[in-house]
């Protein structure tokens, strides 16, 4: 028993002689410059101190790996702003990803004076398809197969038929001199010119050029605005003012003179021939408007509105603009003059 008591006392004495490891203190970096560029979202707790004797130290070097830095040890200088800058992407450098299958639709910009732009553009596209398939080839065939003297005679005949409309509108505009010249043209061509087939009035000694006029011009002359723009299928560009004037002009001869101007067997062939002839004569201008512009509809609309305003200005003598060349009186199916 005595021996056992001696052994226990010896063991207790050895245990009390073991050195005690001091608490490890982690010093924060002197400034925020020592922090890494990004603060990890998941922080790893510090490693367990090794067993056995440890040299007592007061500070841990600043080069301690980030994984061993505890949240409580982050210096106050490292504010939340620095952390946000580290984890928030820079909008200037990040480019938004776009689905390659995404369809981007750009609406046609609404233009003043064209409130029905979308419907008009659709009508324009349909008309161009019909023109490409039917009207254009028919007009070019008419130009190639019908002799030039015959085409010129038909053109003069149609122009002479519309001289009373020109006369009436010049009279309404109080342009008495031009109204008298128009009346003289009609009398000369209707008699000497064989019902207008030959334009004798423009030759010597008369020298009376043909001047086209219309009720739409008269309304514009007195300050009536063109109103909204329309592109009518198979008819072409027009405005509310021009459409109203054209309808009234077309009713003057049938209502005033009767037969044969009110006979469908006369009006339909004359209208078709006039459309084909004007379409053939206007072919180059149509291709220039449709084939060499990024938006053929806008080019056609702008050309029509600009030309019509120039014609009105010329009548009112406000601006002596040069009117773009075009057939005198007929109206092409795809780009009417009036």
């Amino acid at each position: 028993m005595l021996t056992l008591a001696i052994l226990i006392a010896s063991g207790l004495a050895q245990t009390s002689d073991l050195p005690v490891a001091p608490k490890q203190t982690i010093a924060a970096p002197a400034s925020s410059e020592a922090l890494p560029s990004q603060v990890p979202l998941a922080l790893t707790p510090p490693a367990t101190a090794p067993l056995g004797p440890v040299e007592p130290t007061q500070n841990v070097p600043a080069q301690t790996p980030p994984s061993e830095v505890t949240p409580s040890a982050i210096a106050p200088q490292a504010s939340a702003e620095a952390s946000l800058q580290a984890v928030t992407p820079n909008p200037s450098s990040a480019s938004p990803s776009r689905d390659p299958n995404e369809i981007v639709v750009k609406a046609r910009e609404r233009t003043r004076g064209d409130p029905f732009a979308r419907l008009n553009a659709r009508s324009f596209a349909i008309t161009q398809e019909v023109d490409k398939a039917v009207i254009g080839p028919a007009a070019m065939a008419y130009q190639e197969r019908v002799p030039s003297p015959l085409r010129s005679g038909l053109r003069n005949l149609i122009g002479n038929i519309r001289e009373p409309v020109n006369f009436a509108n010049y009279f309404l505009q109080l342009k008495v001199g031009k109204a008298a010249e128009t009346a003289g043209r009609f009398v000369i061509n209707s008699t000497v010119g064989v019902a207008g087939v030959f334009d004798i009035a423009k030759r010597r000694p008369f020298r009376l050029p043909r001047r086209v006029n219309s009720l739409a011009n008269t309304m514009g002359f007195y300050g009536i605005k063109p109103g909204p723009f329309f592109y009518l299928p198979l008819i072409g560009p027009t405005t509310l003012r021009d459409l109203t004037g054209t309808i009234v002009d077309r009713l003057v001869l049938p209502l005033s003179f009767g037969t044969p101007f009110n006979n469908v067997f006369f009006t339909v062939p004359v209208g078709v021939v006039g459309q084909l002839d004007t379409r053939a004569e206007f072919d180059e201008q149509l291709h220039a408007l449709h084939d060499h512009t990024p938006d053929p509809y806008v080019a056609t609309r702008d050309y029509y509105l600009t030309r019509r305003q120039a014609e009105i200005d010329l009548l009112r003598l406000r601006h002596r603009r040069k009117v773009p060349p075009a057939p005198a009186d007929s109206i092409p199916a795809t780009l009417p003059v009036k």
Side-chain angles (χ1 to χ4, degrees):
M1 295 294 292
L2 181 60
T3 304
L4 179 60
I6 294 172
L7 291 175
I8 292 174
S10 176
L12 292 174
Q14 292 178 0
T15 304
S16 62
D17 294 337
L18 290 174
V20 180
K23 293 183 179 181
Q24 186 177 1
T25 302
I26 300 176
S31 64
S32 59
E33 295 178 356
L35 290 175
S37 60
Q38 292 185 350
V39 178
L41 298 180
L43 297 176
T44 306
T48 306
L51 296 176
V54 178
E55 294 294 333
T57 57
Q58 298 300 323
N59 295 316
V60 176
Q63 290 79 10
T64 304
S67 60
E68 295 183 9
V69 179
T70 61
S72 61
I74 299 178
Q77 291 84 352
S79 61
E81 183 179 356
S83 300
L84 289 176
Q85 291 177 356
V87 298
T88 304
N90 187 2
S92 61
S93 60
S95 58
S97 59
R98 177 172 292 178
D99 187 357
N101 296 325
E102 181 181 357
I103 300 176
V104 179
V105 178
K106 294 183 179 179
R108 185 182 299 275
E109 182 179 357
R110 177 170 293 184
T111 304
R112 183 179 179 181
D114 189 7
F116 310 106
R118 182 177 299 180
L119 182 61
N120 288 334
R122 181 60 180 167
S123 176
F124 173 82
I126 294 175
T127 303
Q128 296 314 302
E129 293 296 328
V130 176
D131 179 76
K132 185 184 299 184
V134 180
I135 300 177
M140 302 313 296
Y142 168 81
Q143 187 181 46
E144 293 174 0
R145 298 182 181 181
V146 177
S148 178
L150 181 57
R151 286 189 284 111
S152 179
L154 292 174
R155 192 180 307 125
N156 292 335
L157 174 64
I158 295 173
N160 192 64
I161 292 173
R162 294 177 179 174
E163 289 289 15
V165 173
N166 301 333
F167 165 79
N169 283 284
Y170 276 123
F171 186 80
L172 291 174
Q173 296 164 15
L174 305 180
K175 297 181 181 294
V176 181
K178 288 185 173 57
E181 291 179 358
T182 303
R185 277 185 52 83
F186 180 71
V187 172
I188 294 171
N189 286 337
S190 297
T191 55
V192 183
V194 189
V197 174
F198 302 99
D199 192 354
I200 304 298
K202 71 177 181 180
R203 305 175 185 176
R204 292 178 180 179
F206 307 106
R207 295 184 178 275
L208 298 176
R210 181 162 28 134
R211 298 184 178 93
V212 181
N213 212 334
S214 65
L215 182 60
N217 287 351
T218 301
M219 291 190 289
F221 178 81
Y222 286 106
I224 298 178
K225 301 298 181 181
F229 176 82
F230 300 103
Y231 197 98
L232 303 180
L234 305 181
I235 295 178
T238 187
T239 60
L240 181 60
R241 179 192 65 196
D242 293 352
L243 180 62
T244 303
T246 300
I247 293 174
V248 175
D249 288 342
R250 295 295 186 264
L251 295 177
V252 169
L253 289 177
L255 296 179
S256 301
F257 298 95
T259 306
F261 302 104
N262 58 358
N263 193 327
V264 67
F265 296 102
F266 173 83
T267 57
V268 171
V270 169
V272 170
V273 170
Q275 292 286 354
L276 292 178
D277 182 70
T278 305
R279 172 60 181 82
E281 294 294 325
F282 214 71
D283 185 68
E284 292 184 3
Q285 184 66 45
L286 288 175
H287 281 292
L289 288 172
H290 298 167
D291 300 342
H292 305 290
T293 55
D295 194 332
Y297 165 73
V298 172
T300 302
R301 179 196 64 197
D302 293 347
Y303 173 84
Y304 178 82
L305 295 177
T306 301
R307 174 180 172 79
R308 290 296 293 124
Q309 187 60 48
E311 292 173 343
I312 300 298
D313 290 343
L314 190 63
L315 285 172
R316 303 176 72 175
L317 298 179
R318 284 189 172 183
H319 306 286
R320 293 186 177 276
R321 299 180 185 175
K322 182 179 180 181
V323 180
D329 54 354
S330 299
I331 302 176
T334 52
L335 188 62
V337 177
K338 296 181 179 59

